[in-house]
Amino acid sequence: MREPLDPDMFDPVCPSDLTPIRFGDKWYGMIVRCLEHGPRRFSELRIPLRGISAKVLTRSLRALERDGMVVRTELPGPVRQVEYELTPLGRSLLEPIAAAYAWAEEHWEKLLDAREAAAGHPR
């Protein structure tokens, strides 16, 4: 049995759109990170991605599948279950995503200052 996803793997006060480095849509990089250690069901992904609606998660997963980053597998059984798993191409994104997150973490204060100044709310 695999380890459950940490509900706090993403900082809830960290807006995912703060970093200017994007991979796909707003949620793409976080979904890829959730799939880093193996396949996950939709309901498992919702735990750490609690700010995403079911509709947006479905749309993001379909985009990842369309782009060849994720494979969707229907599991056999009386109850319909679906898992999502990174493809080799999707796994190749893990290193650049980690670098982008490290960069954003290093420049967090400057990014916040710039956003607040642009909004007219200096810190």
Side-chain angles (χ1 to χ4, degrees):
M1 183 159 187
R2 61 184 169 234
E3 189 85 18
L5 289 171
D6 179 0
D8 298 318
M9 71 186 282
F10 302 110
D11 185 344
V13 298
C14 171
S16 60
D17 61 349
L18 181 63
T19 179
I21 303 168
R22 273 292 155 82
F23 298 91
D25 68 22
K26 174 180 178 177
W27 301 99
Y28 213 93
M30 288 187 280
I31 294 169
V32 169
R33 289 191 55 212
C34 287
L35 297 173
E36 180 175 5
H37 299 293
R40 296 291 177 169
R41 292 187 331 274
F42 187 90
S43 59
E44 291 178 281
L45 296 171
R46 299 277 321 265
I47 294 168
L49 300 172
R50 56 188 164 271
I52 191 172
S53 69
K55 180 179 177 180
V56 173
L57 179 55
T58 298
R59 187 172 50 219
S60 295
L61 285 165
R62 285 181 182 157
L64 282 160
E65 187 178 9
R66 178 201 64 223
D67 293 344
M69 304 297 167
V70 167
V71 64
R72 178 184 183 273
T73 305
E74 288 196 35
L75 303 173
V79 177
R80 183 172 168 241
Q81 289 188 349
V82 175
E83 283 187 335
Y84 298 90
E85 184 174 11
L86 291 176
T87 64
L89 183 61
R91 293 198 80 63
S92 73
L93 270 179
L94 290 169
E95 191 174 334
I97 287 172
Y101 278 97
W103 181 90
E105 188 173 66
E106 181 181 336
H107 299 286
W108 177 255
E109 290 298 322
K110 291 176 185 168
L111 288 165
L112 283 175
D113 290 344
R115 290 280 171 100
E116 289 175 1
H121 304 100
R123 287 177 30 160

